Amino acid sequence: MPAFVTLSGRSVRLEPLSLAVVDDLVAASSEDRSTYAFTRVPHGREEMVSYVEAVLAEQAEGRTLPFAIRWLHTDRIVGATRLMHLEYWQGPMPWPPGARGAVGEVPSVADIGYTWLAASAQGTGVNRESKYLMLALAFETWQVHRITLKADVRNTRSRAAIEALGAHLDGVRRAETRGADDTVRDTAYYSILNCEWPLVRERLHTRLGMFEAA
Protein backbone atom coordinates (compact mmCIF):
# COMPACT_ATOMS: atom_id res chain seq x y z
CA MET A 1 0.00 0.00 0.00
CA PRO A 2 1.22 3.56 -0.58
CA ALA A 3 3.36 4.95 2.22
CA PHE A 4 2.06 7.70 4.46
CA VAL A 5 3.41 10.97 3.13
CA THR A 6 3.20 14.72 3.77
CA LEU A 7 3.05 16.91 0.65
CA SER A 8 4.31 20.46 1.08
CA GLY A 9 3.77 23.41 -1.25
CA ARG A 10 4.08 27.16 -1.02
CA SER A 11 0.78 27.85 0.72
CA VAL A 12 -0.57 24.37 1.40
CA ARG A 13 0.60 21.31 3.28
CA LEU A 14 -1.26 18.03 2.85
CA GLU A 15 -0.89 16.03 6.05
CA PRO A 16 -1.93 12.40 6.63
CA LEU A 17 -5.53 12.38 7.82
CA SER A 18 -5.93 11.23 11.42
CA LEU A 19 -8.31 11.41 14.35
CA ALA A 20 -5.98 13.99 15.90
CA VAL A 21 -7.36 16.69 13.58
CA VAL A 22 -11.07 15.93 14.05
CA ASP A 23 -11.75 19.11 16.04
CA ASP A 24 -9.94 21.21 13.42
CA LEU A 25 -12.02 19.58 10.67
CA VAL A 26 -15.23 20.23 12.61
CA ALA A 27 -14.32 23.92 12.90
CA ALA A 28 -13.51 24.12 9.19
CA SER A 29 -16.73 22.40 8.12
CA SER A 30 -18.87 24.65 10.35
CA GLU A 31 -17.94 28.02 8.82
CA ASP A 32 -20.63 28.31 6.14
CA ARG A 33 -22.36 25.10 5.19
CA SER A 34 -24.40 26.76 2.45
CA THR A 35 -21.32 26.28 0.21
CA TYR A 36 -21.78 22.48 0.31
CA ALA A 37 -24.90 22.23 -1.84
CA PHE A 38 -23.34 19.53 -4.05
CA THR A 39 -20.79 18.08 -1.63
CA ARG A 40 -21.29 15.73 1.32
CA VAL A 41 -19.36 17.20 4.26
CA PRO A 42 -19.63 15.77 7.80
CA HIS A 43 -21.53 18.01 10.22
CA GLY A 44 -20.55 18.00 13.90
CA ARG A 45 -18.02 15.99 15.82
CA GLU A 46 -19.83 12.65 15.79
CA GLU A 47 -20.18 12.64 12.01
CA MET A 48 -16.59 13.78 11.59
CA VAL A 49 -15.22 10.98 13.78
CA SER A 50 -17.21 8.41 11.78
CA TYR A 51 -16.00 10.00 8.54
CA VAL A 52 -12.33 9.85 9.53
CA GLU A 53 -12.57 6.32 10.91
CA ALA A 54 -14.18 5.07 7.69
CA VAL A 55 -11.49 6.69 5.54
CA LEU A 56 -8.69 5.26 7.68
CA ALA A 57 -10.22 1.78 7.32
CA GLU A 58 -10.06 2.18 3.53
CA GLN A 59 -6.49 3.38 3.81
CA ALA A 60 -5.56 0.26 5.79
CA GLU A 61 -6.76 -1.79 2.80
CA GLY A 62 -4.54 0.21 0.43
CA ARG A 63 -7.53 1.71 -1.40
CA THR A 64 -7.14 5.38 -0.50
CA LEU A 65 -4.56 7.93 0.66
CA PRO A 66 -6.37 10.70 2.59
CA PHE A 67 -5.08 14.11 3.62
CA ALA A 68 -6.01 16.98 5.89
CA ILE A 69 -5.38 20.31 4.13
CA ARG A 70 -3.37 22.83 6.13
CA TRP A 71 -3.42 26.39 4.81
CA LEU A 72 0.00 27.74 5.72
CA HIS A 73 -1.19 31.35 5.43
CA THR A 74 -3.28 30.84 8.57
CA ASP A 75 -1.68 27.63 9.92
CA ARG A 76 -5.16 26.07 10.09
CA ILE A 77 -6.63 22.81 8.87
CA VAL A 78 -9.18 24.00 6.31
CA GLY A 79 -10.48 20.80 4.75
CA ALA A 80 -9.73 17.34 3.46
CA THR A 81 -9.03 15.53 0.20
CA ARG A 82 -7.76 12.16 -0.95
CA LEU A 83 -6.28 9.99 -3.65
CA MET A 84 -8.79 7.15 -3.84
CA HIS A 85 -10.07 4.18 -5.84
CA LEU A 86 -6.46 3.08 -6.06
CA GLU A 87 -6.07 0.18 -8.48
CA TYR A 88 -3.04 -2.06 -8.77
CA TRP A 89 -2.44 -3.66 -12.16
CA GLN A 90 0.76 -5.50 -11.25
CA GLY A 91 0.72 -9.29 -10.97
CA PRO A 92 -1.88 -11.79 -12.21
CA MET A 93 -5.42 -10.77 -13.06
CA PRO A 94 -7.82 -11.32 -10.14
CA TRP A 95 -10.31 -14.14 -10.42
CA PRO A 96 -13.28 -14.24 -10.55
CA PRO A 97 -13.84 -11.09 -12.63
CA GLY A 98 -14.74 -8.16 -10.43
CA ALA A 99 -12.84 -9.49 -7.41
CA ARG A 100 -10.36 -7.18 -5.75
CA GLY A 101 -6.82 -7.99 -6.71
CA ALA A 102 -3.89 -8.07 -4.33
CA VAL A 103 -2.76 -4.65 -3.19
CA GLY A 104 0.68 -3.67 -4.46
CA GLU A 105 3.14 -1.01 -3.43
CA VAL A 106 2.41 1.45 -6.24
CA PRO A 107 -1.06 2.22 -7.69
CA SER A 108 -1.55 2.06 -11.45
CA VAL A 109 -4.54 4.44 -11.62
CA ALA A 110 -6.31 6.61 -9.06
CA ASP A 111 -9.04 9.18 -8.51
CA ILE A 112 -8.71 12.52 -6.76
CA GLY A 113 -11.87 13.34 -4.88
CA TYR A 114 -13.91 13.92 -1.74
CA THR A 115 -12.31 17.35 -1.56
CA TRP A 116 -13.98 19.93 0.64
CA LEU A 117 -12.78 23.24 2.04
CA ALA A 118 -13.84 25.67 4.72
CA ALA A 119 -15.71 28.63 3.23
CA SER A 120 -12.80 30.95 4.10
CA ALA A 121 -10.39 28.85 2.01
CA GLN A 122 -12.56 28.58 -1.08
CA GLY A 123 -11.44 30.63 -4.07
CA THR A 124 -8.02 31.28 -2.54
CA GLY A 125 -5.88 28.87 -4.58
CA VAL A 126 -5.78 26.27 -1.79
CA ASN A 127 -7.73 23.79 -3.90
CA ARG A 128 -5.53 24.32 -6.95
CA GLU A 129 -2.28 23.79 -5.08
CA SER A 130 -3.71 20.77 -3.26
CA LYS A 131 -4.60 19.19 -6.60
CA TYR A 132 -1.13 19.99 -7.94
CA LEU A 133 0.59 18.27 -5.01
CA MET A 134 -1.48 15.10 -5.40
CA LEU A 135 -1.09 15.03 -9.18
CA ALA A 136 2.67 15.39 -8.84
CA LEU A 137 2.81 12.49 -6.36
CA ALA A 138 0.65 10.29 -8.58
CA PHE A 139 2.37 10.97 -11.89
CA GLU A 140 5.97 11.56 -10.81
CA THR A 141 6.37 9.15 -7.89
CA TRP A 142 3.79 6.45 -8.58
CA GLN A 143 3.90 6.86 -12.39
CA VAL A 144 0.16 6.21 -12.65
CA HIS A 145 -1.43 5.83 -16.08
CA ARG A 146 -4.50 7.94 -15.31
CA ILE A 147 -6.04 10.23 -12.74
CA THR A 148 -9.83 10.56 -12.68
CA LEU A 149 -11.73 13.54 -11.28
CA LYS A 150 -15.52 13.70 -10.96
CA ALA A 151 -18.17 16.27 -10.08
CA ASP A 152 -21.93 16.58 -9.87
CA VAL A 153 -22.88 17.75 -13.34
CA ARG A 154 -24.71 20.73 -11.75
CA ASN A 155 -21.65 21.84 -9.78
CA THR A 156 -20.37 24.43 -12.21
CA ARG A 157 -17.77 25.75 -9.75
CA SER A 158 -16.11 22.36 -9.24
CA ARG A 159 -16.31 21.53 -12.92
CA ALA A 160 -14.68 24.84 -13.84
CA ALA A 161 -11.85 24.15 -11.38
CA ILE A 162 -11.29 20.68 -12.85
CA GLU A 163 -11.34 22.00 -16.41
CA ALA A 164 -8.88 24.74 -15.43
CA LEU A 165 -6.40 22.01 -14.55
CA GLY A 166 -6.50 20.85 -18.17
CA ALA A 167 -8.45 17.65 -17.46
CA HIS A 168 -10.32 16.01 -20.35
CA LEU A 169 -14.09 15.55 -20.12
CA ASP A 170 -14.69 11.86 -20.75
CA GLY A 171 -18.46 12.15 -20.51
CA VAL A 172 -21.45 12.33 -18.19
CA ARG A 173 -22.76 9.22 -16.44
CA ARG A 174 -26.48 9.66 -15.98
CA ALA A 175 -28.16 8.69 -12.71
CA GLU A 176 -24.72 7.80 -11.37
CA THR A 177 -25.35 8.10 -7.63
CA ARG A 178 -27.33 9.78 -4.89
CA GLY A 179 -26.54 13.46 -4.72
CA ALA A 180 -25.65 15.50 -1.66
CA ASP A 181 -29.13 17.05 -1.88
CA ASP A 182 -30.77 13.58 -1.95
CA THR A 183 -31.63 13.82 -5.64
CA VAL A 184 -30.45 11.38 -8.31
CA ARG A 185 -27.15 12.78 -9.51
CA ASP A 186 -25.59 12.83 -12.97
CA THR A 187 -21.79 12.85 -12.72
CA ALA A 188 -19.25 14.47 -15.07
CA TYR A 189 -16.12 12.33 -15.45
CA TYR A 190 -12.75 13.89 -16.26
CA SER A 191 -9.30 12.39 -16.67
CA ILE A 192 -5.64 13.29 -17.01
CA LEU A 193 -3.30 10.74 -18.62
CA ASN A 194 0.37 10.25 -17.82
CA CYS A 195 1.35 11.57 -21.26
CA GLU A 196 -0.69 14.74 -20.62
CA TRP A 197 0.88 15.50 -17.25
CA PRO A 198 3.84 17.61 -18.53
CA LEU A 199 1.44 20.09 -20.18
CA VAL A 200 -0.89 20.08 -17.17
CA ARG A 201 2.08 20.60 -14.85
CA GLU A 202 3.31 23.55 -16.94
CA ARG A 203 -0.15 25.11 -16.82
CA LEU A 204 -0.33 24.67 -13.07
CA HIS A 205 3.15 26.08 -12.59
CA THR A 206 2.02 29.22 -14.43
CA ARG A 207 -1.20 29.56 -12.45
CA LEU A 208 0.58 28.94 -9.14
CA GLY A 209 3.42 31.32 -9.98
CA MET A 210 5.98 28.52 -10.08
CA PHE A 211 8.63 28.74 -12.76
CA GLU A 212 11.44 26.34 -13.57
CA ALA A 213 14.98 27.67 -13.29
CA ALA A 214 16.58 28.32 -16.68
Side-chain angles (χ1 to χ4, degrees):
M1 58 182 283
F4 285 49
V5 63
T6 296
L7 305 176
S8 297
R10 292 185 173 187
S11 61
V12 169
R13 185 166 65 238
L14 302 185
E15 304 173 356
L17 187 67
S18 73
L19 289 169
V21 297
V22 161
D23 290 335
D24 295 324
L25 291 171
V26 171
S29 68
S30 300
E31 287 188 3
D32 180 2
R33 294 193 60 82
S34 68
T35 63
Y36 303 140
F38 301 111
T39 305
R40 290 190 184 276
V41 178
H43 190 198
R45 196 174 196 282
E46 183 177 351
E47 283 191 13
M48 193 65 71
V49 169
S50 296
Y51 161 83
V52 173
E53 288 178 340
V55 177
L56 295 181
E58 287 187 19
Q59 182 177 21
E61 295 181 349
R63 305 296 173 183
T64 190
L65 190 64
F67 299 97
I69 303 171
R70 184 176 295 277
W71 192 11
L72 299 179
H73 175 68
T74 60
D75 195 29
R76 293 187 298 121
I77 297 294
V78 292
T81 189
R82 69 185 83 163
L83 283 149
M84 61 189 201
H85 297 160
L86 307 182
E87 295 184 19
Y88 302 82
W89 294 354
Q90 309 94 329
M93 294 285 284
W95 187 262
R100 284 187 171 183
V103 172
E105 292 184 0
V106 181
S108 303
V109 295
D111 290 13
I112 290 177
Y114 283 114
T115 304
W116 62 268
L117 290 172
S120 60
Q122 295 173 21
T124 63
V126 167
N127 177 62
R128 185 183 307 129
E129 187 168 10
S130 298
K131 293 292 194 298
Y132 168 76
L133 292 171
M134 289 185 288
L135 288 167
L137 171 68
F139 284 121
E140 297 175 10
T141 301
W142 294 348
Q143 296 289 311
V144 299
H145 302 291
R146 183 193 74 242
I147 286 291
T148 298
L149 303 104
K150 297 178 285 190
D152 188 313
V153 75
R154 301 166 296 173
N155 193 343
T156 55
R157 181 172 181 171
S158 289
R159 292 186 66 182
I162 293 171
E163 290 166 4
L165 296 174
H168 174 78
L169 176 62
D170 294 326
V172 174
R173 180 176 291 179
R174 297 176 297 167
E176 192 264 342
T177 190
R178 180 180 179 181
D181 58 354
D182 287 328
T183 62
V184 178
R185 162 181 150 169
D186 296 341
T187 298
Y189 278 70
Y190 294 85
S191 65
I192 301 171
L193 303 183
N194 187 285
C195 61
E196 297 165 344
W197 169 238
L199 184 59
V200 171
R201 178 179 57 199
E202 182 180 352
R203 177 183 299 195
L204 281 169
H205 279 187
T206 299
R207 298 194 69 193
L208 292 168
M210 301 164 59
F211 301 96
E212 302 288 348

